[in-house]
Amino acid sequence: LLLDSNLVDWTSVDVWIQKYHELNLGLSMTYKGRYIQADSHIKNTLAGEIDGVLKLHATQALAENLRYQGKLNQSLSKWYEALTLSEELGDSSEISNGYLGRGIVRFLNDELTKAEEDIAIYYQYNERIGNEKSLAYGLSLMGLLDYKKGDYESSIKRNLDGYGIRIRINDIKGQGESLNNLAL
């Protein structure tokens, strides 16, 4: 149907689609544990002129890939870059996701106070917009922070609250995450 459209400038769309495809290859390689291949695909996405939204998503993908490799300082730097890009785009949801990514890396770096601040921003945003799945994820992360700080009662409460949301919205994978955190 799109091929028949006279409204599409295919010379610009073709490049975007190629870049988008390259990004998805990078994401796929990241989740398969092929980090070097993923890095190459993601960096190819970022090469040359690129749409702002695609640049943001590629930067986030690179930050995640670096985190999975254990290159936490490089990952944190990319999350700062992603936050700047999302602020330039004025996208509140992506700003929230940037804080989430940065918070996770800070958690892994044992920067618990900073991680808590970032994850709280993510949680508060999702509470405001009523995104229950992300709200439950935020509760899980805050529960892990509580666990790491030795506040086991708060950890249990937050993870039970998140588990309750996940049951209500039928988030099976999330329920497993909550149960794993409760087992800790």
Side-chain angles (χ1 to χ4, degrees):
L1 184 62
L2 285 175
L3 289 174
D4 292 334
S5 173
N6 294 323
L7 301 174
V8 177
D9 177 5
W10 287 104
T11 58
S12 65
V13 172
D14 285 345
V15 173
W16 191 91
I17 289 173
Q18 290 168 6
K19 295 262 186 190
Y20 185 73
H21 176 70
E22 192 79 28
L23 172 60
N24 282 296
L25 286 172
L27 289 168
S28 175
M29 293 295 130
T30 295
Y31 299 127
K32 289 179 182 177
R34 297 181 186 163
Y35 305 122
I36 303 305
Q37 288 175 301
D39 187 74
S40 176
H41 286 294
I42 296 166
K43 286 181 177 174
N44 284 342
T45 303
L46 288 165
E49 288 295 313
I50 185 171
D51 171 80
V53 172
L54 199 55
K55 183 176 183 178
L56 170 61
H57 287 267
T59 302
Q60 291 170 334
L62 189 55
E64 284 294 282
N65 184 30
L66 290 164
R67 177 173 65 91
Y68 289 168
Q69 292 181 63
K71 298 177 180 178
L72 299 180
N73 290 334
Q74 292 175 44
S75 176
L76 189 59
S77 175
K78 286 296 171 188
W79 279 114
Y80 272 101
E81 188 178 327
L83 263 169
T84 300
L85 290 168
S86 59
E87 287 171 353
E88 289 171 2
L89 291 169
D91 189 327
S92 300
S93 177
E94 292 300 348
I95 291 169
S96 171
N97 288 334
Y99 280 107
L100 170 67
R102 193 171 77 175
I104 291 170
V105 174
R106 285 176 161 175
F107 173 81
L108 294 171
N109 269 336
D110 284 327
E111 300 172 28
L112 301 185
T113 301
K114 291 180 179 180
E116 193 168 29
E117 291 169 2
D118 285 347
I119 292 168
I121 291 168
Y122 171 81
Y123 178 83
Q124 290 162 3
Y125 172 78
N126 285 290
E127 187 175 44
R128 257 190 329 273
I129 66 167
N131 183 339
E132 289 190 305
K133 186 172 183 176
S134 294
L135 198 60
Y137 186 53
L139 285 166
S140 274
L141 293 170
M142 291 188 297
L144 287 173
L145 280 161
D146 289 339
Y147 175 80
K148 188 101 173 190
K149 293 186 297 185
D151 188 351
Y152 303 121
E153 291 302 315
S154 180
S155 178
I156 290 168
K157 182 184 179 333
R158 289 185 188 202
N159 278 293
L160 282 173
D161 289 347
Y163 183 60
I165 292 170
R166 287 168 160 166
I167 288 173
R168 190 173 67 253
I169 64 172
N170 201 30
D171 177 8
I172 303 298
K173 181 181 175 200
Q175 290 174 38
E177 179 185 349
S178 290
L179 290 171
N180 182 63
N181 291 350
L182 286 164
L184 290 173

